[in-house]
Amino acid sequence: MPTDDLPETFHVTTDEQLRAVANLTRHRIMGVLRFEPATITQIAERVGLAKGSSSYHVRLLERAGLVKVVRTRKVRGVTERYYAMAARSIVLPDSGEGGPDVLMRHAVADLEASSAEDERHVRMAHLRLTEEQFAQLGARLDALADEYRELSDPSLPDASLVFALFHPASRKQVEEGTK
């Protein structure tokens, strides 16, 4: 099942779904499934897990509606299931004021686990923008990510793009939070 057949977005709305995506192992499994379906065995090999652990995590993702079986085939009397993402992208609810952003935690963990010998582009910039400029930059970043997602080829190595555009807490908010 090519990713073109998938709905564009899946909105995480329940606690069960949020718990499913909040786990780093399940995040990595969804990364395996982002471009093409895979079996439990294939997922286990790509993520570096035992088949039993992979099966457990995939079942939780399936129960939460984040992945689904898209194809089955018989292999020596056993039914092999191929899993795929339920949508091309997942939209998480706002983490709320002061709440940790699960995507950023996973992105940092993935960055830390990646090979330091591979090429990376990591940058942080502090900006001072009007609200209009802030909104324009957010829209441009979204459009750029969408443009390159359209160019993605499952036969090429994975690359992750993560960005966060936000207003940091003021010194006063930080000081009040530590009291």
Side-chain angles (χ1 to χ4, degrees), residues 52-79:
S53 294
S54 292
S55 179
Y56 167 78
H57 288 290
V58 169
R59 277 195 318 270
L60 288 176
L61 289 167
E62 185 180 20
R63 236 188 334 241
L66 296 160
V67 302
K68 61 184 179 178
V69 175
V70 293
R71 184 171 70 239
T72 60
R73 71 178 191 149
K74 288 277 190 192
V75 178
R76 292 182 288 251
V78 175
T79 301

Side-chain angles (χ1 to χ4, degrees), residues 24 27-28 47 105-118 120:
L24 182 58
H27 166 78
R28 289 182 172 153
V47 178
R105 284 194 318 232
H106 291 333
V108 169
D110 285 345
L111 177 62
E112 290 171 342
S114 69
S115 173
E117 297 169 6
D118 289 341
R120 298 182 194 187

Side-chain angles (χ1 to χ4, degrees), residues 1 5-10 65-68 84-89:
M1 175 179 175
D5 296 345
L6 295 175
E8 185 60 33
T9 56
F10 179 95
L66 296 160
V67 302
K68 61 184 179 178
M85 292 297 298
R88 293 182 61 174
S89 64

